[in-house]
Amino acid sequence: MKIAIVGAGIIGVTTAWELASDGHEVSVFERRGAAAEESSFANAGVVAPGYVTPWAAPGMRGKVLRSLLSRHGAIKVRWPLAARDIGFMARWQKACKLETYLANRTRMQRLAFYSRTRLHEIVEASEMLYERSDGYLVLLRSRREQKLVQPGLDVLRAAGTVFREVDADEARRIEPALNTDTSLTGAIHLPDDEVGNCRQFALLLKWEAEALGAKFHFNCDLAPLNRAAPTSLQLAGGSDAVRYDAVIVCAGLASAQLLRPLGLRIPLAPVYGHSISANIREPLNAPRSAVMDERFKVAITRLGLRVRVAGSAEIGGVPDALSPAALQTLYKVLHDWFPGAVTLQSGVQQWKGARPMLPDGPPVLGASGIPGVWLNLGHGSSGWALSCGSARVLADLVGGRDPGVDLEGLGVERLMLAH
């Protein structure tokens, strides 16, 4: 089949590789000048399937309100708020019901575990080398945090996640560089989870896809899809329309506008995250793999010769404006756990990226209901963790095969029913 993919983030690139591997004629169109320039650019890089859960959960509204009042709160609302932000928050609150949360958590974790398996298969098949390391350590600063995390551990057990509760001494043996001056009561160690450089992986896989015949076209801002000819694409500035057998929309936040003329109302909203990346000054003072500060919801990861600190969740605000408060929290948590590990005087990369999120959590994956148009979008903060599995599922569906994964609740009809 002659297939067009709109979007060259981690979702679009993995989808292109899977379809090219299946023998399809693949063309990828991206509005940016290179692959993985937006949400995939400088994220935390953690692949932890057991921790892939919906934001919309019982009790989250209270947690959000408390976070808004905290100086270093993980969740913030910024002004101005767009209409889509307000609509997103209204639908998000409705999805916080226990029954809805449990169903969506199961959907996301089922896909996340499948995705991690597929990631390992791709790496082995391609003999790919990229910045990665094994193990994930969730740090608990107090006994109160140890108590509060217990329901989450029940979730991990139910999902079949391998983990151990460890005391502070064992946590420091796993990550010897942890600052002894920062209070640590214990930790959760997940030895099978991992961290990897999402953008580096995307660029390497793009080259692999090109070797299979896929063609990537950058700086291509496409016009919204046409209801009369939904599988024909043309540039927003005007060009001849080119027809394809199938169009797969993986364009993150831009997907909503592209699909609107087809009658599809996808309630995507940007939830912004921040990160800082800095060169390691002293390897012995840096993390071996990845840690998560449970109190501040900040991840610190080792990516080759750099350390990345990522966190925050902001709704609203100005897309291109970094939040000084969010960055301050990242620097604070880095200093708390790994002081002196990196060089902060020069060469620090500060980044803000929009996670394309849906109110209830799971992505939309599969047929759009419009002949020839397929969807692979709305992965939010779990895009890297869900990307490889989502791409394989989509490729199987396009090829008319059974994907081998229960897709209940991942179709676009879920959003239409909730509208």
Side-chain angles (χ1 to χ4, degrees):
M1 294 173 64
K2 183 180 178 182
I3 299 176
I5 296 173
V6 186
I10 186 62
I11 303 298
V13 170
T14 50
T15 302
W17 185 83
E18 293 286 5
L19 288 166
S21 297
D22 287 352
H24 296 288
E25 181 184 340
V26 177
S27 295
V28 184
F29 298 90
E30 166 59 46
R31 63 180 179 174
R32 297 280 189 169
E37 286 278 287
E38 296 189 13
S39 303
S40 309
F41 185 79
N43 55 37
V46 175
V47 178
Y51 273 85
V52 174
T53 58
W55 263 32
M60 271 299 291
R61 282 172 287 188
K63 291 180 181 179
V64 169
L65 290 175
R66 289 191 294 273
S67 184
L68 294 178
L69 299 173
S70 171
R71 177 185 176 188
H72 294 293
I75 303 172
K76 297 294 182 182
V77 177
R78 305 291 186 191
W79 300 101
L81 279 175
R84 68 176 174 185
D85 300 322
I86 297 171
F88 174 90
M89 288 189 287
R91 294 182 67 155
W92 170 78
Q93 287 194 62
K94 292 180 181 178
C96 286
K97 298 175 183 176
L98 178 59
E99 183 179 357
T100 304
Y101 162 72
L102 292 174
N104 287 328
R105 185 186 74 193
T106 299
R107 291 161 183 160
M108 293 181 73
Q109 292 187 341
R110 186 167 56 229
L111 183 58
F113 280 98
Y114 176 69
S115 190
R116 184 175 65 182
T117 298
R118 187 58 183 156
L119 168 64
H120 295 164
E121 291 171 350
I122 291 172
V123 170
E124 183 178 355
S126 304
E127 298 182 346
M128 190 183 297
L129 296 175
Y130 65 105
E131 296 171 347
R132 65 169 305 281
S133 53
D134 293 315
Y136 187 42
L137 195 65
V138 180
L139 304 175
L140 308 172
R141 291 175 181 247
S142 67
R143 293 196 180 280
R144 180 174 182 272
E145 289 173 25
Q146 276 188 322
K147 182 178 179 180
L148 290 175
V149 82
Q150 293 306 313
L153 299 186
D154 292 337
V155 172
L156 296 181
R157 292 186 187 96
T161 302
V162 176
F163 72 91
R164 290 189 302 131
E165 294 184 72
V166 300
D167 60 19
D169 291 339
E170 178 64 14
R172 296 185 192 283
R173 281 193 287 271
I174 295 168
E175 284 287 357
L178 286 171
N179 185 9
T180 55
D181 292 334
T182 299
S183 176
L184 178 63
T185 298
I188 310 302
H189 183 224
L190 300 103
D192 291 347
D193 289 347
E194 61 193 82
V195 60
N197 189 322
C198 176
R199 183 168 190 257
Q200 189 182 64
F201 176 88
L203 294 176
L204 291 170
L205 196 64
K206 168 188 169 286
W207 295 337
E208 296 288 341
E210 287 176 319
L212 294 170
K215 293 180 172 56
F216 285 76
H217 306 277
F218 295 103
N219 299 307
C220 290
D221 192 8
L222 296 180
L225 301 185
N226 187 332
R227 193 178 189 95
T231 60
S232 294
L233 300 182
Q234 60 186 118
L235 296 175
S239 68
D240 293 335
V242 179
R243 184 184 177 281
Y244 294 87
D245 297 315
V247 171
I248 301 171
V249 180
C250 308
L253 288 169
S255 302
Q257 184 178 357
L258 289 169
L259 294 165
R260 186 171 291 271
L262 304 184
L264 296 174
R265 301 293 189 264
I266 309 296
L268 284 166
V271 178
Y272 297 102
H274 287 72
S275 74
I276 55 175
S277 303
N279 293 328
I280 292 174
R281 180 170 66 182
E282 172 50 65
L284 292 178
N285 292 338
R288 289 178 172 177
S289 183
V291 304
M292 165 66 79
D293 187 303
E294 177 66 17
R295 178 176 300 178
F296 297 102
K297 305 299 183 185
V298 169
I300 307 174
T301 56
R302 174 78 169 262
L303 296 173
L305 299 177
R306 295 181 301 159
V307 167
R308 176 166 295 158
V309 190
S312 79
E314 296 186 354
I315 300 173
V318 181
D320 299 326
L322 293 166
S323 167
L327 293 174
Q328 185 181 36
T329 298
L330 300 184
Y331 283 111
K332 167 192 162 41
V333 175
L334 172 63
H335 180 75
D336 282 353
W337 294 116
F338 299 101
V342 301
T343 301
L344 295 176
Q345 288 72 27
S346 62
V348 177
Q349 177 194 72
Q350 298 182 154
W351 175 80
K352 176 181 178 180
R355 309 175 183 110
M357 295 192 73
L358 291 165
D360 59 352
V364 172
L365 183 59
S368 69
I370 307 298
V373 179
W374 300 80
L375 308 178
N376 190 1
L377 51 86
H379 298 76
S381 57
S382 302
W384 172 219
L386 297 175
S387 58
C388 295
S390 298
R392 185 61 253 166
V393 166
L394 200 286
D396 285 336
L397 292 173
V398 171
R401 294 182 296 273
D402 179 0
V405 177
D406 184 356
L407 300 178
E408 184 273 329
L410 296 179
V412 71
E413 65 276 358
R414 176 184 97 240
L415 302 179
M416 301 301 107
L417 291 171
H419 186 62

